Amino acid sequence: MKYMLVKTYGETAHCDLPLPEWAPEDIAAHIDFQRALGAQLAASGELVDAQGLAGPEQALIVHSDGRSAPVVTDGPFPETKEFLAGYWIVDVDSPERAVEIAAQASAAPGPGGAPIGEYIEVRQVMSAPEA
């Protein structure tokens, strides 16, 4: 069973300080944690893919009616309080294992090394219907 674990950037259960305001050593520890989690999931054979994403200042919103040129809107989007920061796609034996991994990701260290209680969305990857 494949699941996407979605990481958003914004306030967490235990930290409302934006990441750019963290001490450099706290940012480094957070990134090291993310890399270690990815390595652990790769070693167990559960990792399909994991990526961090550029910030909203580099985002584009595109929409089209299919006939005329697409409309493209640049970021940043100040009305957005949170944005997609990254994801993991895991292939696990059960939904419970996906939740277990999400809980581990949620406890990533923040300022002073304290777990931040990040909100991680867990969604099963669905296959297209048979033709």
Side-chain angles (χ1 to χ4, degrees):
M1 305 169 103
K2 288 184 183 170
Y3 287 86
M4 178 178 258
L5 311 180
V6 180
K7 173 184 177 70
T8 55
Y9 176 82
E11 279 190 24
T12 69
H14 305 293
C15 181
D16 58 3
L17 187 64
L19 185 112
E21 296 178 24
W22 294 7
E25 62 272 13
D26 291 334
I27 294 172
H30 185 80
I31 293 169
D32 288 346
F33 174 90
Q34 302 299 337
R35 288 184 179 136
L37 178 58
Q40 174 192 347
L41 295 171
S44 69
E46 295 172 308
L47 183 66
V48 175
D49 188 28
Q51 300 293 327
L53 302 174
E57 68 280 356
Q58 296 180 36
L60 301 174
I61 300 293
V62 178
H63 67 94
S64 173
D65 61 10
R67 294 183 300 278
S68 53
V71 177
V72 180
T73 307
D74 293 351
F77 307 101
E79 68 280 1
T80 303
K81 293 186 185 312
E82 61 182 39
F83 61 86
L84 184 60
Y87 65 89
W88 299 267
I89 296 179
V90 295
D91 192 351
V92 293
D93 292 332
S94 68
E96 292 80 15
R97 177 63 181 141
V99 168
E100 185 179 295
I101 295 167
Q104 186 177 358
S106 175
I116 59 175
E118 193 166 23
Y119 299 103
I120 306 292
E121 183 179 347
V122 178
R123 299 185 62 184
Q124 187 172 7
V125 176
M126 305 300 288
S127 297
E130 300 272 336

